[in-house]
């Protein structure tokens, strides 16, 4: 397992035959970045444990992202925040992910509950940040690079 700057593990999740290969590559002028290669009929996810982070002081999630200009990737992915052992989940979709690095600034108030999961009762004790590639939104295959993930005031 890889370890993030908060001391939490990072990894991938999917149901076979879907796949997501997590690796880290050197990018010019950036250093090491996450390289996420997915091949899905349903979904695959890259998760980061946040070690019960208190996100109450923060308003924005920011991250740098770009995609290989491979056929199939539509430029969309889902972002999730989870707490209470994953029973409280909020999501949002980000779009316009292209071949050039782009910094996404996502307002934490824009995350919404989905399905039967309740929203986050509080932004205290947030356990996980997840980037999800769904076949319906991301297309079946692609390579996405992620870097400089941060919560900002």
């Amino acid at each position: 397992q890889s370890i993030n700057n908060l001391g939490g593990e990072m990894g991938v999740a999917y149901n076979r035959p879907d796949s997501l290969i997590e690796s880290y590559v050197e990018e010019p002028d950036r250093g090491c970045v996450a390289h996420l290669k997915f091949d899905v009929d349903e979904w695959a996810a890259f998760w980061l444990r946040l070690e019960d982070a208190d996100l109450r002081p923060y308003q924005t999630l920011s991250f740098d992202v770009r995609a290989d200009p491979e056929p199939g990737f539509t430029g969309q992915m889902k972002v999730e925040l989870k707490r209470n052992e994953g029973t409280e989940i909020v999501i949002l979709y980000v779009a316009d992910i292209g071949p050039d690095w782009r910094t996404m600034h996502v307002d934490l108030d824009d995350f919404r509950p989905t399905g039967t999961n309740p929203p986050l009762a509080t932004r205290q004790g947030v356990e996980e940040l997840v980037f999800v590639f769904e076949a319906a939104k991301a297309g079946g295959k692609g390579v996405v690079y992620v870097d400089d993930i941060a919560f900002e005031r």
Side-chain angles (χ1 to χ4, degrees), residues 2 11 20 32-33 36 40 43 51 58 66 69 87-88 96 99 103 116 120 123 126 134 147:
S2 302
L20 192 153
C32 192
V33 302
L36 308 170
V40 296
W43 65 271
E51 301 298 286
Y58 303 99
R66 77 172 185 87
T87 62
E88 298 172 15
D96 302 321
T103 301
T116 58
L120 302 187
R123 287 191 192 153
V126 178
E134 298 173 319
D147 194 23

Side-chain angles (χ1 to χ4, degrees), residues 3-97:
I3 302 295
N4 63 42
N5 290 346
L6 295 176
E9 295 180 341
M10 304 182 298
V12 299
Y14 52 85
N15 294 321
R16 294 189 188 280
D18 290 352
S19 68
L20 192 153
I21 299 168
E22 163 200 13
S23 61
Y24 297 88
V25 298
E26 287 290 323
E27 281 272 315
D29 302 321
R30 282 194 165 267
C32 192
V33 302
H35 173 273
L36 308 170
K37 181 177 182 179
F38 65 92
D39 186 346
V40 296
D41 288 325
E42 293 184 24
W43 65 271
F46 173 60
W47 51 264
L48 301 94
R49 299 262 193 265
L50 299 180
E51 301 298 286
D52 296 325
D54 184 353
L55 301 183
R56 291 177 299 173
Y58 303 99
Q59 191 60 41
T60 304
L61 165 66
S62 72
F63 57 93
D64 294 345
V65 63
R66 77 172 185 87
D68 278 351
E70 263 184 56
F73 182 60
T74 64
Q76 291 188 52
M77 70 180 172
K78 181 166 68 173
V79 182
E80 300 177 342
L81 290 171
K82 297 181 180 184
R83 71 176 297 279
N84 198 16
E85 298 182 8
T87 62
E88 298 172 15
I89 302 172
V90 289
I91 70 162
L92 63 72
Y93 287 90
V94 293
D96 302 321
I97 300 168

